[in-house]
Amino acid sequence: MLLIKLPDDFCSDLYSKYETAMDAKNLVFNGEFATHNRLEREIDGKAYEFELTLLKSLQQRPEVGNVNDNPFAKPEPELTVLPSFGSKDEFRIVFNKFPVVPGHFMLITKDFKPQTTPLSPNELVATISILKKLKESDLGKKWFAFYNSGPESGASQPHKHIQFMTLPDGFAPFADNLANGSDAFIPNQMREPLQDKHLPFAHYVARLPDNSDEITEELLAMTYLSLLQRTLTVLKENESSQISYNFCATTKYMMLIPRSSGKYEDIMGINSCGFMGLFLCKNDELFDMVKENGPENILKSIGFPNTSERPSADYHY
Ligand code: AMP
Ligand code: AMP
């Protein structure tokens, strides 16, 4: 059995601990005054949806953490969902202290590991195990995981953390549609990951098997590696001086996106959530700007141009 077992009541426990932490003001919930706006875009003749969340009161969150002042070294007990998790008990599950979406939590390593390190097979297995558990127990919600890695990825904390958040109700990120039309990815040099040619930015998606029995540690590790190879190739070809990318996953797929910049024109920080179609706008000007400039153009500017037109020879790393 590959997947790591979570407590049967993981999901109900998650929400009840979340309520308790909220009542005791251990969490700083920022979503109360948020307004959510669905944006339909026609790109290259195809329809896409984005969600713009306008949140003027986003506050109290430390902009950048450091190794000495590291909130994940000794997480607050009130924010802890599971004090120990993983095949070697190497992780904790804790709430994000500054959620915009209720229940937002993170898988963090117990020992310090840099956020710049690639996801290990153990970390991938733990991530997919959590996503599978949420899918089977939180029936009304669709969860996704994300990992912001590298200086231009939109990450703020250096201690390794993979985050878990729900999607807005009825919302389908572009990667869902891409994965829906595909068979499970077989990681080898001959097969290219999925990339929607209508979108202007580079992104690499691999469909995962529906059947949990077919998901092995090796499959997850090799799939991640295939996507990472393409990502590194793009960074190298563009003479990027750093390795930054976003990772998003659901039970259905994994996606990697190479990043050229953590911020759009120095005015708006964007992390993995942006590539799930979710834009957090901290004032009216940014909200109007995203609508005006077009989310897909913003994603191109903080990423790299789409590479789906290039031949699929073994150009990658
Ligand atoms: P990232 O910006 O991707 O590195 O994610 C780090 C996350 O940690 C941010 O979303 C913060 O909201 C969250 N965070 C910052 N300080 C704490 C803390 N003391 N406890 C829990 N989460 C925190
Ligand atoms: P930041 O934009 O990095 O200041 O993120 C503030 C908080 O919201 C963090 O806890 C993020 O992980 C989370 N977050 C980032 N982008 C989004 C988004 N588009 N929708 C909801 N929450 C988000």
Side-chain angles (χ1 to χ4, degrees), residues 33 37 43 73 92 95 109 119 121 128 130 150 175 185 198 249 251 282:
F33 303 107
N37 301 267
I43 304 169
R92 296 179 218 280
F95 286 117
T109 54
L119 293 174
I128 298 297
I130 293 169
F185 182 72
H198 303 288
T251 53
K282 296 176 187 174

Side-chain angles (χ1 to χ4, degrees), residues 206-236:
R207 168 92 193 228
L208 297 172
D210 290 328
N211 183 348
S212 296
D213 295 339
E214 291 172 32
I215 298 181
T216 61
E217 182 175 293
E218 192 188 3
L219 176 86
L220 293 179
M222 294 299 289
T223 301
Y224 173 76
L225 195 63
S226 294
L227 303 179
L228 189 58
Q229 280 176 334
R230 269 74 180 179
T231 299
L232 293 175
T233 299
V234 169
L235 291 168
K236 189 177 168 199

Side-chain angles (χ1 to χ4, degrees), residues 76-308:
E76 297 168 43
E78 296 82 1
L79 297 184
T80 301
V81 183
L82 281 184
S84 225
F85 179 67
S87 56
K88 299 190 186 107
D89 283 330
E90 66 274 51
F91 308 116
R92 296 179 218 280
I93 295 181
V94 300
F95 286 117
N96 187 312
K97 192 173 174 70
F98 306 97
V100 176
V101 175
H104 184 168
F105 70 91
M106 299 177 291
L107 176 74
I108 62 179
T109 54
K110 280 187 188 168
D111 297 331
F112 180 82
K113 251 175 110 174
Q115 187 75 359
T116 46
T117 53
L119 293 174
S120 68
N122 277 358
E123 289 159 356
L124 291 166
V125 170
T127 299
I128 298 297
S129 300
I130 293 169
L131 288 170
K132 288 265 182 195
K133 182 70 186 173
L134 290 164
K135 186 170 184 187
E136 100 196 8
S137 42
D138 195 7
L139 300 179
K141 288 284 173 190
K142 275 169 71 183
W143 285 82
F144 70 102
F146 62 99
Y147 179 60
N148 305 317
S149 185
E152 301 297 341
S153 67
S156 60
Q157 294 295 336
H159 183 131
K160 204 163 196 182
H161 56 286
I162 300 157
Q163 311 199 43
F164 295 79
M165 217 169 78
T166 56
L167 288 166
D169 292 340
F171 181 80
F174 69 84
D176 273 27
N177 300 326
L178 201 54
N180 279 340
S182 164
D183 297 336
F185 182 72
I186 301 162
N188 64 36
Q189 298 285 315
M190 307 308 290
R191 177 99 182 247
E192 283 304 300
L194 306 165
Q195 187 172 194
D196 183 337
K197 65 175 193 291
H198 303 288
L199 292 170
F201 51 89
H203 56 280
Y204 302 101
V205 176
R207 168 92 193 228
L208 297 172
D210 290 328
N211 183 348
S212 296
D213 295 339
E214 291 172 32
I215 298 181
T216 61
E217 182 175 293
E218 192 188 3
L219 176 86
L220 293 179
M222 294 299 289
T223 301
Y224 173 76
L225 195 63
S226 294
L227 303 179
L228 189 58
Q229 280 176 334
R230 269 74 180 179
T231 299
L232 293 175
T233 299
V234 169
L235 291 168
K236 189 177 168 199
E237 285 179 347
N238 287 279
E239 293 172 9
S240 189
S241 58
Q242 43 78 33
I243 294 176
S244 297
Y245 60 93
N246 291 131
F247 163 92
C248 303
T250 69
T251 53
K252 199 180 279 175
Y253 58 85
M254 275 185 212
M255 169 166 70
L256 260 75
I257 303 104
R259 291 289 303 268
S260 57
S261 170
K263 281 189 165 178
Y264 177 64
E265 293 185 346
D266 258 348
I267 50 172
M268 186 178 182
I270 298 176
N271 67 21
S272 302
C273 297
F275 292 90
M276 293 301 273
L278 310 176
F279 283 73
L280 194 60
C281 310
K282 296 176 187 174
N283 56 50
D284 288 315
E285 290 73 37
L286 290 177
F287 181 81
D288 293 341
M289 182 278 290
V290 174
K291 281 205 285 196
E292 185 125 328
N293 293 6
E296 71 283 8
N297 300 318
I298 293 176
L299 295 177
K300 180 182 176 189
S301 156
I302 58 170
F304 290 93
N306 189 298
T307 61
S308 57

